[in-house]
Amino acid sequence: MTSTVRSSTVSDVLRRSATRVPARVALRFADREWTYAGLDAAVSRAAAHLLALGLEKGDRVAAYGKNSDAYLIGFLACARAGLVHVPVNFNLAGPELAYLLEQSGSSLVLADPLLREDLDDLEAPPQRVLPLRDEDGSLLAAASEGEVPVLDVEVADDDLVQLLYTSGTTSRPKGAMMTHRALLHEYLSCVVNLDLTENDQPLHVMPLYHSAQLHVFLLPWLMVGATNTLLEVPDPSDIMFRISHDGHRAFFAAPTLWVAIVNNPEFGLRDLSSLRKAYYGASIMPGPVLDRLREEMPELGFYNCFGQSEIGPLATVLRPEEHAERPDSAGRAALFVELRVVDSEDNDVAAGELGEVVYRSPQLCLGYWDKPDETDEAFSGGWFHSGDLVRIDEQGYVFVVDRIKDVINTGGVMVASREVEDALYTHSAVGEVAVVGLPDEKWIEAITAVVVRREDVTADELLSHVKGELSGFKVPKTVHFVDDLPRNASGKILKRELRDRFTN
């Protein structure tokens, strides 16, 4: 008896929904619409096409494109063909792009034609590139017509399905090795803890190369048979128009996009009353921004989703009914997640004390691709070490303080950059802000605020405002004004770039 009899894979998510609700619309993108049966057939054709190119089970296939139906089909086709999908940030170019392609050992790159030039400009361009869409001979063209093949490949749930590269905000990205089994467990956690149903009519706008949009929302909603709408780029005005015009009931955005929506002149003018579920995560949400969202849309249920790529990425959830009492919490452990908060010696800390959150879960990656030392370090002591500084209360609610590497040592006292950022966000002139520690002879690290202004304001005015919010030692020593903050496409601010830019 083959192992597939008891196995469950990522591509089975779509296949089962196609069997259950074949005629229902699974995905809308641009002017194209796919039923579940049609999307499932397209994935089989695309998988057969990839194998016909000479790829073999276990080969890595990089995906370098913006959101599209072709991107989703490419991921599911790799899963069905036993290939390992490698999502690549479409904003990367030059050495950063070359590093991911080389480190993953990708045999083929699936690319949007408009991004092909970035591949050709590399010092060592990839030898095999297949257009995802918009060209003759693209993967989408191969997926769209012809007989539906029967694939001669056996895929087991403990096979690798994706290398999820970490965001690399502090060091070179590492490829988290995700199995089918890990992602299936994570999808079930999402369905249960985020109340995902077939009637949600979700709108998807964040990049699919990022694990949050793909694995917390799109695939779990395909699992339950929802009708999904996908946008190529996350434009705040377009998002609000789509919600008001099409009646979407559920929507996820990274905090930076929620900030952009709140700051958009159309916010408060568009009718967003169809929304019933609003999700945020992937980085820390500024408290004042969440307060305004909840004030403007009191009937909307907000879910805080916290985790990281290595765990699929959902680790904890704060549900709507829990926001009133603990609005600054990241919630409690998801269905298949066990967590502890420990000190530097891996001893549990008392409730309310600071420590690093560590995990045990079937959702976890196997380790980092071709990085055994980093794997051993992250999984030391039988738990995965997250690098997140948190505290936990007696009821198991987690409160995220900061990334351990972003905590600022000012005069020997540790200050969380998030606390200072939240204080600055309470000033109406602050559009966006990032707080970092810069080397300083007197203070060890000088608390430094980098601010994008919504309206005219001086540094002295901001510092005076913060002095009314925080203890004196937490007030920034310096304020820099910039036009925008550097970030990756998943919305995480690149604080290492700010440290480099403003270090004398």
Side-chain angles (χ1 to χ4, degrees):
M1 184 177 294
T2 63
S3 61
T4 56
V5 171
R6 296 183 179 86
S7 181
S8 186
T9 69
V10 168
S11 75
D12 291 334
V13 168
L14 175 62
R15 180 180 57 80
R16 292 184 179 120
S17 290
T19 300
R20 191 173 65 254
V21 287
R24 181 178 297 163
V25 174
L27 182 69
R28 293 190 177 102
F29 175 77
D31 59 350
R32 294 189 289 271
E33 186 173 278
W34 300 86
T35 66
Y36 272 93
L39 187 61
D40 187 58
V43 167
S44 289
R45 295 189 196 102
H49 185 70
L50 292 174
L51 293 172
L53 295 176
L55 295 172
E56 298 180 352
K57 182 179 177 181
D59 283 348
R60 275 78 64 207
V61 176
Y64 185 52
K66 296 184 178 181
N67 285 359
S68 69
D69 48 358
Y71 192 99
L72 175 63
I73 289 169
F75 167 60
L76 291 170
C78 286
R80 190 158 290 182
L83 305 170
V84 182
H85 188 259
V86 183
V88 177
N89 180 342
F90 55 74
N91 288 313
L92 295 183
E96 291 179 306
L97 173 59
Y99 172 79
L100 290 191
L101 299 180
E102 180 181 350
Q103 206 277 333
S104 64
S106 293
S107 301
L108 174 74
V109 180
L110 302 173
D112 281 350
L114 292 177
L115 298 174
R116 178 62 187 264
E117 186 176 341
D118 291 327
L119 295 170
D120 294 338
D121 287 345
L122 295 178
E123 185 174 334
Q127 295 184 354
R128 305 179 73 187
V129 179
L130 178 66
L132 270 167
R133 49 177 170 151
D134 302 330
E135 283 188 4
D136 293 338
S138 68
L139 184 71
L140 183 62
S144 297
E145 57 184 23
E147 296 293 324
V148 180
V150 177
L151 301 179
D152 185 22
V153 58
E154 183 174 305
V155 182
D157 58 11
D158 57 354
D159 289 335
L160 288 187
V161 65
Q162 197 171 55
L163 296 184
L164 276 178
Y165 276 85
T166 59
S167 56
T169 56
T170 57
S171 61
R172 282 225 164 173
K174 302 183 290 290
M177 297 186 289
M178 306 304 300
T179 63
H180 292 265
R181 180 184 298 163
L183 290 180
L184 263 293
H185 278 88
E186 197 265 352
Y187 297 165
L188 288 171
S189 286
C190 296
V191 169
V192 171
N193 293 114
L194 301 179
D195 301 321
L196 307 185
T197 75
E198 63 181 18
N199 299 316
D200 286 331
Q201 296 177 258
L203 178 66
H204 304 271
V205 304
M206 298 301 294
L208 290 182
Y209 85 79
H210 188 268
S211 57
Q213 186 67 82
L214 185 63
H215 295 313
V216 178
F217 298 103
L218 184 49
L219 262 295
W221 259 311
L222 288 172
M223 175 181 276
V224 299
T227 295
N228 300 270
T229 298
L230 178 65
L231 301 185
E232 184 174 42
V233 293
D235 176 77
S237 293
D238 189 32
I239 289 166
M240 287 187 282
F241 170 77
R242 298 294 185 113
I243 293 171
S244 64
H245 184 267
D246 298 333
H248 294 289
R249 297 170 58 83
F251 171 65
F252 160 71
T256 49
L257 182 54
W258 281 115
V259 170
I261 290 172
V262 166
N263 290 337
N264 189 284
E266 297 177 31
F267 183 69
L269 302 178
R270 289 285 188 185
D271 180 8
L272 307 181
S273 61
S274 65
L275 275 182
R276 289 294 178 269
K277 301 171 185 176
Y279 303 91
Y280 62 95
S283 59
I284 294 173
M285 173 77 93
V289 174
L290 179 60
D291 290 342
R292 185 177 174 195
L293 285 166
R294 296 181 66 216
E295 180 181 344
E296 292 285 344
M297 297 181 283
E299 302 302 319
L300 184 56
F302 283 90
Y303 297 75
N304 185 0
C305 308
F306 174 70
Q308 58 195 114
S309 295
E310 290 92 337
I311 201 165
L314 189 71
T316 70
V317 176
L318 185 73
R319 295 173 50 80
E321 66 272 16
E322 299 170 321
H323 271 72
E325 187 173 350
R326 297 176 175 85
D328 55 344
S329 172
R332 292 187 284 190
L335 180 66
F336 284 108
V337 175
E338 180 183 359
L339 63 81
R340 297 164 55 216
V341 179
V342 301
D343 60 21
S344 59
E345 303 297 323
D346 280 354
N347 299 310
D348 290 337
V349 302
E353 293 186 2
L354 293 181
E356 181 183 16
V357 62
V358 297
Y359 302 112
R360 284 198 305 207
S361 172
Q363 298 177 194
L364 280 164
C365 66
L366 295 182
Y368 298 116
W369 179 261
D370 201 24
K371 291 184 178 290
D373 292 342
E374 288 87 342
T375 298
D376 290 344
E377 180 181 1
F379 285 86
S380 63
W383 293 74
F384 173 75
H385 289 249
S386 69
D388 287 312
L389 184 68
V390 309
R391 57 185 176 86
I392 190 169
D393 68 15
E394 294 179 351
Q395 287 74 44
Y397 286 89
V398 172
F399 296 78
V400 180
V401 176
D402 220 331
R403 291 291 293 173
I404 290 175
K405 293 180 180 179
D406 286 338
V407 174
I408 301 168
N409 181 354
T410 178
V413 180
M414 308 306 288
V415 174
S417 61
R418 181 193 180 186
E419 184 179 10
V420 185
E421 289 164 356
D422 275 356
L424 283 160
Y425 267 116
T426 61
H427 195 290
S428 61
V430 174
E432 291 188 284
V433 61
V435 170
V436 297
L438 300 184
D440 187 272
E441 290 185 2
K442 178 179 179 181
W443 299 104
I444 305 175
E445 289 184 305
I447 299 176
T448 304
V450 185
V451 176
V452 178
R453 288 178 282 199
R454 295 178 60 191
E455 55 192 56
D456 286 340
V457 68
T458 67
D460 286 342
E461 288 172 334
L462 289 181
L463 294 178
S464 177
H465 175 78
V466 174
K467 287 176 182 177
E469 301 283 327
L470 299 175
S471 300
F473 68 91
K474 298 179 182 180
V475 175
K477 301 296 187 288
T478 307
V479 176
H480 296 283
F481 294 109
V482 296
D483 293 331
D484 52 61
L485 297 173
R487 58 170 54 87
N488 60 27
S490 63
K492 292 184 179 180
I493 295 170
L494 299 174
K495 290 190 173 181
R496 58 181 166 83
E497 289 192 11
L498 294 175
R499 294 187 190 100
D500 292 342
R501 185 190 308 179
F502 293 110
T503 296
N504 295 328

